[in-house]
Amino acid sequence: MSRYGAMFGPDITFLGVDPCTLDDPATYRDADVVIVGAPFDGGVSHRPGTRFGPSAMRSTDYNAHDGSRPSLPMRVDALRDLRVVDAGDVEMFAGDIEGSIAAIEEAVATIAASGAIPIVLGGDHTIALPDITGVARHHGMGRISVIHFDAHADTAHIEFGHLHGHGQPMRRLLESGAVRGDRFLQMGLRGYWPDPETLDWMADQRMRSYEMSEIVTRGLQECVDEAMGIALDDCDGVFLSVDVDVVDPGMAPGTGTPEPGGLTSRQLLDTVRRLAFELPIVGMDVVEVSPPYDHADITAMLGNRIVLEALSGMAARRRGDTWQPARPLLDGRGTATH
């Protein structure tokens, strides 16, 4: 796994953090987080283009790419308070779905075994299967819970005559035993799929799925509180899998299967930050950013900020802070409250 760099475009790292090479452990031995790209879109059921997602999320930012990002709400600079490095992209061919899955799983397992937290930039959601499996290989099969943000359940059985694709990774994960169904939590589902047969299968696995109508009626924070309690019960860590189509396409148009009526970008960013602060995150992916369908880099910027919010939450958790989302930035009395 020598460093490939970026498969598409210039070899830049996430906002200027140091590069690393996965077959040279010395380059990430002291890392807290290793970012890796999975530029795969061979599993899409509708619009392709997510192979360009990793490059877009690394580069889309109007600030200097200097490896520093002070967070106003969290009072941390996650890219400096944590040791964050970027391993570049995993080399893969979109026409080889099994080979790509195997390559991603090996890369993620290597990162997890080093003690670092892998953050995977996708790519379509097919990559959740190797991402989560790679982490489970280190922490123990069935010992990590998953909080999955998505408009779609991704629990189909066979699509286009194939067992793998971006609509099927969650079923394959549960079938393999990498994750328990009763510790698999989905946030933001909506629309007109899955069908009743698939929902019955999900119910048999004891999955907990929060559809948008429930989230709107009960309130997002109440649903998140409940999901966190389940995720922490009898598990050793939590994996966050974030499909940008959980956000309403008015705020995230650059994705392959947009579904109206989702979360706002503000709701998602706040929630990701909170989860990273309050939970023992052992891995994360951000998927389905499709630059060919984006406008003014809206969705790529959202993907970039999802990663930054998660890192800022992790850094504040590492520092031992208390959660104070209502704390003023400046108190109006000439005092900065950091």
Side-chain angles (χ1 to χ4, degrees):
M1 288 182 287
S2 59
R3 182 180 173 83
Y4 189 91
M7 285 192 65
F8 305 101
D11 181 13
I12 60 173
T13 64
F14 184 80
L15 301 181
V17 301
D18 290 338
C20 72
T21 303
L22 291 185
D23 62 2
D24 183 0
T27 63
Y28 58 95
R29 182 172 293 121
D30 59 347
D32 299 302
V33 174
V34 176
I35 294 172
V36 64
F40 178 81
D41 61 5
V44 298
S45 59
H46 189 42
R47 306 189 305 200
T50 57
R51 69 182 67 184
F52 306 113
S55 176
M57 283 186 275
R58 286 186 174 106
S59 63
T60 304
D61 195 300
Y62 52 82
N63 294 305
H65 289 211
D66 57 1
S68 173
R69 283 298 181 277
S71 166
L72 285 176
M74 300 305 287
R75 321 297 202 266
V76 294
D77 186 338
L79 299 185
R80 292 187 174 177
D81 294 343
L82 299 174
R83 172 70 169 143
V84 182
V85 295
D86 189 330
D89 289 344
V90 178
E91 184 180 6
M92 61 189 62
F93 172 55
D96 180 8
I97 195 165
E98 285 85 3
S100 297
I101 287 172
I104 299 166
E105 181 180 327
E106 192 59 34
V108 173
T110 297
I111 295 166
S114 76
I117 298 170
I119 294 184
V120 186
L121 309 178
D124 73 50
H125 221 156
T126 304
I127 70 168
L129 172 60
D131 295 346
I132 299 170
T133 302
V135 172
R137 280 170 53 182
H138 174 66
H139 291 277
M141 302 293 274
R143 296 306 307 163
I144 60 172
S145 59
V146 175
I147 298 181
H148 166 212
F149 291 88
D150 206 325
H152 312 96
D154 293 354
T155 50
H157 180 32
I158 296 174
E159 288 186 349
F160 307 125
H162 209 289
L163 289 170
H164 295 299
H166 77 162
Q168 300 139 280
M170 309 317 176
R171 183 182 285 242
R172 302 287 92 87
L173 278 167
L174 268 60
E175 289 174 340
S176 73
V179 182
R180 294 162 45 183
D182 62 352
R183 295 297 177 270
F184 203 105
L185 303 120
Q186 300 181 309
M187 309 288 298
L189 303 189
R190 60 191 186 276
Y192 300 89
W193 189 88
D195 54 56
E197 181 181 358
T198 304
L199 281 173
D200 287 344
W201 181 88
M202 293 166 62
D204 288 343
Q205 313 311 307
R206 299 177 62 195
M207 297 177 71
R208 180 62 170 100
S209 301
Y210 296 84
E211 196 266 341
M212 278 303 302
S213 295
E214 179 183 0
I215 290 173
V216 170
T217 301
R218 295 180 59 195
L220 177 59
Q221 294 311 309
E222 181 178 326
C223 294
V224 171
D225 288 344
E226 183 177 277
M228 288 197 302
I230 297 170
L232 288 173
D233 181 25
D234 193 32
C235 278
D236 302 322
V238 181
F239 191 101
L240 295 184
S241 187
V242 183
D243 185 330
V244 293
D245 73 21
V246 75
V247 172
D248 191 273
M251 295 183 177
T255 194
T257 50
E259 183 65 50
L263 298 175
T264 67
S265 56
R266 178 73 267 157
Q267 287 174 313
L268 179 60
L269 293 173
D270 286 345
T271 302
V272 166
R273 180 201 306 155
R274 180 187 175 197
L275 293 174
F277 179 82
E278 296 199 9
L279 299 178
I281 302 300
V282 294
M284 178 180 179
D285 57 31
V286 182
V287 302
E288 299 289 351
V289 173
S290 186
Y293 294 94
D294 210 1
H295 305 294
D297 297 332
I298 295 170
T299 315
M301 180 64 78
L302 175 61
N304 176 285
R305 292 320 198 233
I306 292 167
V307 175
L308 278 176
E309 292 291 357
L311 290 171
S312 296
M314 292 175 191
R317 176 184 176 89
R318 178 76 59 89
R319 196 170 63 183
D321 290 355
T322 56
W323 179 246
Q324 301 181 64
R327 175 178 53 177
L329 176 65
L330 302 174
D331 64 8
R333 298 188 297 273
T335 303
T337 58
H338 53 267

